[in-house]
């Protein structure tokens, strides 16, 4: 049986009516020569062989939500994993779950809910499993559960030559190390075995407040999170509002105890200049990443994004972040609380080395502002950052690589990428030959 026979009906070209719904990512309208829709791991092998025979750039897509837009391309081949979406509890006692790379996190949360299990998985149900679970996984349970990659126990991977391997701590340990944080450059991950958390409901509070223009609101937020119960994870959006600046905080408490949740959230109400609105409720974990989030990605939200990690949110850093949100060409500034279980893992245990950082700051601009505009806004913020997270950046070049993977971690990542992908077909698609 030929490759084209096994892929019959699964190769989508511009003449196919399905093409319009498959060509793009969430942030970018793209025009690939073809999109291949494998349904099994064997199909992925065939798709990879076929794509390499065409000698076209290859992009791999799990969800298409990736901000970089590199899960599609112009004129190349896209291998879309959306049909590899199995979600199965392998061992309830060990909380071990098999999840296909093409599943969306909304489906994962809904499928695991009857078993009382959850996997910390980003903040939007439409995000694909593969992209998040190969780069880190900073989610709603991050300080209590850690990163998604910290709980991957095995991964099924199609290598650049079409070989299928199952990597874990004992089999292909170097490959397993790289998959957890730098997996996009080693091959096509088709499935993960992940140890889930025992969790049904969470507490959630949403607080909107006027923030201090000099950054003191942000330092009070960070100072509290440094000592807060690790069940508490927060995400904030800092936005200009006329002559004021507003901080919108979402707090998630991974505890079934309402009184404990109330005590954890209470200090957050006082970090701003004035509390404008607040809500609190208990909901199933699946309610944080609901199936209502699911949508087709057609380039509907063009944006430019960059991020940085901070060990400590100093007054100077907080002032720079706030200024970026309220300047003449403001950026949308987001903040994520890290620390807790994330920092329990040694820096060299996975390819995500940033294990002593406590804050992630993200800057985004929308058209007509562009990368140059974001660069001007971000310049003062960047002085305070130390490293970056691969999943929140539209800049993918050699400098960005070293921010994602610093020092010896980066050297080891490159060595493994080159060993498992000597022709650089995945590496070149990610970093445009910057790391050839």
């Amino acid at each position: 049986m030929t490759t084209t026979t096994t892929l019959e009906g699964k190769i989508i070209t511009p003449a196919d009516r399905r093409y319009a719904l498959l060509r793009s990512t969430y942030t970018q309208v793209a025009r690939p020569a073809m999109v291949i829709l494998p349904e099994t791991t064997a199909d992925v092998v065939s798709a990879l062989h076929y794509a390499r025979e065409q000698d076209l750039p290859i992009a791999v897509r799990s969800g298409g939500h990736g901000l970089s837009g590199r899960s599609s391309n112009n004129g190349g081949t896209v291998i879309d994993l959306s049909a590899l979406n199995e979600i199965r509890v392998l061992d309830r006692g060990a909380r071990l779950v098999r999840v296909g790379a093409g599943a969306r996190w909304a489906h994962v949360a809904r499928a695991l809910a009857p078993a009382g299990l959850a996997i910390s998985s980003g903040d939007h149900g439409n995000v694909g499993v593969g992209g998040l679970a190969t780069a880190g996984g900073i989610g709603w349970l991050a300080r209590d559960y850690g990163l998604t990659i910290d709980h991957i126990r095995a991964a099924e991977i199609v290598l650049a030559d079409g070989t299928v391997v199952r990597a874990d701590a004992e089999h292909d340990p170097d490959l397993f190390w790289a998959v957890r944080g730098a997996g996009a450059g080693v091959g096509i991950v088709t499935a993960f075995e992940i140890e889930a958390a025992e969790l049904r409901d969470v507490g959630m509070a949403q607080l909107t407040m006027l923030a201090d223009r000099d950054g003191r609101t942000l330092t009070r937020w960070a100072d509290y999170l440094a000592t807060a119960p690790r069940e508490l994870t927060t995400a904030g959006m800092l936005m200009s509002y006329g002559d004021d600046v507003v901080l919108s905080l979402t707090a998630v408490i991974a505890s079934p105890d309402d009184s404990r949740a109330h005590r954890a959230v209470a200090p957050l109400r006082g970090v701003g200049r004035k509390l404008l609105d607040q809500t609190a409720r208990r909901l199933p974990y699946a309610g944080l990443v609901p199936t209502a989030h699911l949508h087709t990605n057609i380039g509907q939200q063009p944006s430019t994004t960059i991020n940085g990690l901070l060990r400590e949110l100093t007054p100077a850093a907080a002032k720079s972040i706030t200024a970026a949100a309220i300047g003449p060409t403001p950026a949308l500034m987001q903040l994520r609380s890290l620390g807790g279980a994330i920092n329990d893992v040694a820096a060299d245990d996975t390819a995500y080395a940033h294990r002593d950082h406590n804050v992630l700051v993200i800057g985004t601009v929308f058209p007509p502002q562009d990368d140059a505009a974001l660069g001007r806004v971000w310049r003062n913020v960047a002085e305070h950052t130390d490293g970056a997270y691969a999943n929140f950046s539209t800049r993918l070049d050699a400098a960005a690589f070293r921010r994602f993977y610093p020092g010896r971690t980066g050297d080891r990542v490159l060595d493994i990428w080159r060993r498992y992908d000597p022709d650089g077909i995945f590496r070149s698609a990610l970093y445009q030959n910057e790391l050839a």
Side-chain angles (χ1 to χ4, degrees), residues 211-215 218 236-248 317-335 361-365 369 373-374 376-381:
D212 297 288
R213 295 173 67 90
D214 62 4
L218 300 189
M237 289 193 297
L238 195 66
M239 302 162 287
S240 60
Y241 182 69
D243 293 331
D244 271 313
V245 58
V246 170
L247 176 64
S248 175
K319 186 174 182 179
S320 294
I321 293 167
T322 305
I326 59 176
T329 55
L332 171 65
M333 303 299 291
Q334 299 182 63
L335 296 133
V361 57
I362 306 160
T364 301
V365 297
Q369 294 190 69
L374 179 59
R376 290 190 292 271
V377 171
W378 185 258
R379 189 177 299 118
N380 291 335
V381 177

Side-chain angles (χ1 to χ4, degrees), residues 135-138 147 149-150 177 180-182 309 338 342-343 345-355 357 388-390 404-405 409:
I138 295 173
L147 302 177
I149 61 170
D150 298 338
W177 177 88
R180 294 171 297 152
L309 292 157
L338 307 178
I342 297 174
N343 293 0
V345 178
D348 59 357
D349 276 4
T350 69
Y352 181 95
H354 311 287
R355 301 295 183 165
H357 295 72
Y389 174 46
F404 303 152
Y405 310 110
T409 295

Side-chain angles (χ1 to χ4, degrees), residues 67-68 122-123 138 305-308 334 336 360-364 388-395 404:
L67 295 181
S68 72
D123 56 8
I138 295 173
T305 297
I306 195 168
N307 75 80
Q334 299 182 63
R336 308 290 175 96
L360 171 67
V361 57
I362 306 160
T364 301
Y389 174 46
N391 264 5
F392 284 123
S393 181
T394 52
R395 293 184 185 177
F404 303 152

